[in-house]
Structure formats: structure tokens, C-alpha cells
Amino acid sequence: MTDRDEFDWTALSRRISRSVQTTIGWIFWDPGAVARYEKRGLQSGLGYIAARSAPFASAGPEALSAALGSISPLGIAVLYQLLEEPSSWMDFWHLRNEAVREGLVAYAPEIVEHLIAFGPELWEVVHQLPLAGRPFVASHLALPIPDDPLLSSWHAVNFIREWRGDTHWAIVASHNLSGNEASILHNAWLGYEGDWLSLSRGNSPEDIERAWSSLETRGLATSHLVNELGLQLRQSIEDETDRICALPWQLLGAEKSKQFIEEFEPPCEKLLQRVDETAGTNYQPASRLQGNEKPQPPK
């Protein structure tokens, strides 16, 4: 029997995903990145999309909207009008790299040595992950790995994060949910008020209203409140995502994965605090726990 059989990989996957998300996601709203995007001509939200999606830009707005799931298709269409050439998107990829390096050193310096140490092993994991049905993350392999060891390692973590994202949206799609419907369920599952999550993705009130109507027709919401059936569906999507996304950590191994948790959680709490300060306490929902829940060690 291997350690893959003996270990609670789903629990580990659930816990470690917070550190993966936080290692990457803090940069989305960081002033260092935002200032660079604005100097290059894009406001923060559009700059975030361009920087994140540069490898996939040549696929076009419809494909990118489908890949990103819950982000406003209108916002994505506007971005394509502003950046007519896919090569222009790479400017924002490089600007984000600059801000990542600067910010990690400034705000969570202890994560730097851990990232550099884990990088080579994480890239070995990356090259073993199945890519079928995961076009967004697969597009990242077309870009060269940065020479800088810190950025190289950060991009290995980013690949694992985007691999989970593609996996998650495939599960959402298997339930025939739209991006707005998924956001409404996620918003309720987190305990956020109103339509905060959908609105934060740039979606219009009209599109959100259509999503509520669809959820009510399907019996997942009642009088503009997600009901127990809807919450159960959202929990099952999270559970299935955690189960499937244990694979990178199984490939890394139990001991190394537990080491990742121990070394990355403390600096990631600093990075999450940075999100609280620069964006707000609802942002980066994939790093947030429900209510007063505390992370539990995997058994």
C-alpha cells in the first residue's frame, strides 16, 4: 500500500489550496501591480485579467470568458477592444512579474526561501499533471519558465492554482451552472451579503437577476435566497474539487506536502492580510474560510 492510499488527501488538498491561492492571489489587487497596470493604460480590474490571461489571449474573448467562468464577458470584450494584439497582453504579464518579486520580498520575505527551495520539485509535479479539458492552464506551458528562481517557483505554484481552477470550472459545468449561478451559490456558501461576489466580477444586475431566476426554477434558491439544496450542491462542488485536486500533492508526496503547509501558511497569512488592507476582507474568496472555521491539520 502506498502513502497515496493511507493518507487523507482530500483534507490535505482542502487545506493546502488556501496557501496556493494566497501565494498567488495577493498580487491581483496589490498597489504595486495596479500602479504598473494603470501606467500602461488599464485600470486594476482589466489589468488583472490581462496579466492573468496573457497566455490564453489569442483564443479570443468568447473562449476566455468561458475559461474564466464568472468574470463579466462584457469586461473581457472591452479588454480585447483596448488590447487589439495578443502580444500586448504579455506586457501586463511582465509587469505582474515585476510586482510579484517586489511585493514578496517586501511583505512576506520568509516565503522567498521556501518558494525557491520548492520550485524544482513543483515543476516536476506540473509536468506530470493531466491537461485534457484544462485549456486555460495548458496555455501557460507555451511560455518560457522565468530564469529568476523566485519567479520560476511562483509560476510553478501559479500553474497548480490554475490547474485547480480549470478543474473546478469543469465540475461547475458538469452541473450545468452558469458563471453567475455559480457565483451566487459560492457567495451564499461563504456567508457573504447580497450579490457581492457576482458584482465584484463586474457582472450587471440584469445578468445576476437572470441567474437568480434560473436557480429558483431549478429549486436551488427561494425568494432570492440560496436554499439548503443549493448550499448542498455548492458543498459537493467544493468537495469534488478538493478530491480531484489532491493529485499534485500526491505526486509531490505526503511528507513534502505537509512541509509545504508548515512553511507556507505563516507567510500566506501575511499576504492575506495584505489583501484585507489593499482590497477588502471579502476579496480572494478562495482563501477565505466559512464563518469562524479554522484550518485543521490533515490526518
Side-chain angles (χ1 to χ4, degrees), residues 7 12 16 253-263 298:
F7 199 71
L12 182 142
I16 208 168
E255 292 307 311
K256 277 290 184 178
S257 296
K258 287 188 284 186
Q259 181 185 345
F260 187 100
I261 287 173
E262 292 166 1
E263 292 182 352

Side-chain angles (χ1 to χ4, degrees), residues 125-143:
V125 167
V126 163
H127 291 300
Q128 297 177 70
L129 292 174
L131 298 179
R134 298 176 174 93
F136 184 80
V137 71
S139 69
H140 289 57
L141 292 178
L143 300 183

Side-chain angles (χ1 to χ4, degrees), residues 25-168:
W26 67 274
I27 196 61
F28 295 162
W29 308 274
D30 196 73
V34 170
R36 286 171 167 86
Y37 302 155
E38 291 179 345
K39 186 176 181 180
R40 178 60 178 77
L42 291 181
Q43 295 178 346
S44 99
L46 294 179
Y48 147 70
I49 298 171
R52 180 184 171 193
S53 308
F56 199 71
S58 60
E62 292 82 8
L64 181 57
S65 295
L68 294 180
S70 60
I71 294 176
S72 167
L74 178 60
I76 291 172
V78 168
L79 182 55
Y80 272 89
Q81 292 172 2
L82 295 172
L83 300 178
E84 295 180 359
E85 296 296 328
S87 59
S88 300
W89 295 56
M90 287 305 302
D91 293 346
F92 294 89
W93 177 270
H94 295 305
L95 290 173
R96 186 180 69 170
N97 280 347
E98 292 176 7
V100 165
R101 193 177 213 302
E102 178 183 88
L104 289 176
V105 171
Y107 305 117
E110 60 269 47
I111 207 173
V112 171
E113 63 178 296
H114 302 321
L115 269 169
I116 292 174
F118 264 95
E121 291 174 285
L122 292 178
W123 276 115
E124 289 182 14
V125 167
V126 163
H127 291 300
Q128 297 177 70
L129 292 174
L131 298 179
R134 298 176 174 93
F136 184 80
V137 71
S139 69
H140 289 57
L141 292 178
L143 300 183
I145 297 172
D147 293 330
D148 180 279
L150 175 57
L151 284 176
S152 172
S153 301
W154 187 86
H155 277 285
V157 178
N158 185 56
F159 191 98
I160 292 171
R161 175 187 174 274
E162 297 291 12
W163 190 87
R164 180 183 173 96
D166 274 0
T167 302
H168 172 77

